[in-house]
């Protein structure tokens, strides 16, 4: 399965067993990407982890 990095346009080969909502890293630009869909394979920039201030 292959998908395109939304950040740099590189082709990323997703390993067998990749699941939706999994986080993968682009080998070219290092961006953290979220697997949005498996059919067709679609990637999006992973949401930034926000600090929890106990609110």
């Amino acid at each position: 399965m292959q998908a395109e990095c939304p950040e740099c346009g590189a082709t990323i080969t997703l390993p067998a067993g990749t699941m939706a909502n999994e986080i993968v890293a682009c080998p070219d630009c290092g961006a953290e990407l979220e697997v949005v869909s498996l059919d067709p394979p679609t990637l999006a920039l992973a949401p930034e982890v926000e600090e929890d201030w106990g609110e």
Side-chain angles (χ1 to χ4, degrees):
M1 236 182 339
Q2 293 187 329
E4 184 177 307
C5 174
E7 187 73 13
C8 70
T11 299
I12 300 171
T13 301
L14 300 174
T18 300
M19 301 175 73
N21 301 321
E22 192 170 325
I23 303 295
V24 296
C26 175
D28 285 6
C29 69
E32 287 191 346
L33 306 169
E34 180 178 1
V35 179
V36 178
S37 170
L38 294 174
D39 188 22
T42 307
L43 299 173
L45 288 174
E48 292 291 323
V49 176
E50 295 182 18
E51 259 186 80
D52 180 9
W53 292 94
E55 296 175 349

